[in-house]
Amino acid sequence: MKHQLKLIENTLILMLELESSIESQATDIRIDFYDRRLAVQNEQQSAFDLEARISNKSPKRVFSPLNISVRMLRGSLQIYWYTMNINRITKKKHYNYIAKSKNGTYDLRTLKSKSSDAEWDLVKETEEKAAGLREQWKKLIQARSSLIRLRELSK
């Protein structure tokens, strides 16, 4: 019995390391999204600036309201999408969180409607990675819960 408990405890410790690894990967996905989106926006802004010089008008400004965030809340990893818009008069930021579908994933059509054409491939790729991490997290938490119940039964 003591040997079983020790094995369960060691497995739970390893699961904590896995949780930390998944959380780190989620943060990396967020950082990569913003870095790559900035590159896309800079490229798009250069095209707008060139177009404005040719037509002798003021250039359009690139703005993308779609954002992704990662947080731990009450022991749960959350990777979620939201839009941020700025009121032109008051300069206040308004956040609108995008709802997941019933199966716990984001509808790609909704994300596409919130993103620019230039960044759609990036949004889609990022969501596919995030969905994979959400699924890994879900399975890991289920396994951890099962191990905790097994530990209680083994005492």
Side-chain angles (χ1 to χ4, degrees), residues 74-91:
R74 293 188 288 274
S76 177
L77 177 67
Q78 296 182 346
I79 307 170
Y80 59 95
W81 293 94
Y82 65 97
T83 58
M84 180 192 69
N85 294 298
I86 301 172
N87 185 308
R88 292 181 186 192
I89 297 168
T90 64
K91 306 295 184 204

Side-chain angles (χ1 to χ4, degrees), residues 19-34 67-74 76-82 97 100 106 126-127 129-131 133-134 137:
E19 288 176 21
S20 178
S21 172
I22 292 172
E23 183 181 357
S24 176
Q25 289 175 53
T27 300
D28 290 346
I29 286 173
R30 182 186 58 81
I31 291 168
D32 183 57
F33 172 77
Y34 285 117
N67 294 283
I68 189 169
S69 190
V70 174
R71 70 179 178 184
M72 288 294 293
L73 184 65
R74 293 188 288 274
S76 177
L77 177 67
Q78 296 182 346
I79 307 170
Y80 59 95
W81 293 94
Y82 65 97
Y97 297 92
K100 291 182 193 170
Y106 285 93
T126 302
E127 175 50 26
K129 289 177 184 176
L133 286 180
R134 284 187 210 100
W137 185 266

Side-chain angles (χ1 to χ4, degrees), residues 34-51:
Y34 285 117
D35 288 347
R36 292 175 57 199
R37 183 175 76 173
L38 183 60
V40 168
Q41 287 177 333
N42 287 340
E43 188 177 305
Q44 198 175 21
Q45 188 63 56
S46 295
F48 287 163
D49 291 346
L50 180 62
E51 184 182 302

Side-chain angles (χ1 to χ4, degrees), residues 1-34:
M1 237 4 157
K2 279 189 172 187
H3 181 67
Q4 280 180 323
L5 280 173
K6 185 71 171 163
L7 286 174
I8 292 170
E9 291 298 328
N10 289 341
T11 305
L12 285 169
I13 291 168
L14 288 174
M15 290 182 125
L16 287 173
E17 291 179 29
L18 275 172
E19 288 176 21
S20 178
S21 172
I22 292 172
E23 183 181 357
S24 176
Q25 289 175 53
T27 300
D28 290 346
I29 286 173
R30 182 186 58 81
I31 291 168
D32 183 57
F33 172 77
Y34 285 117

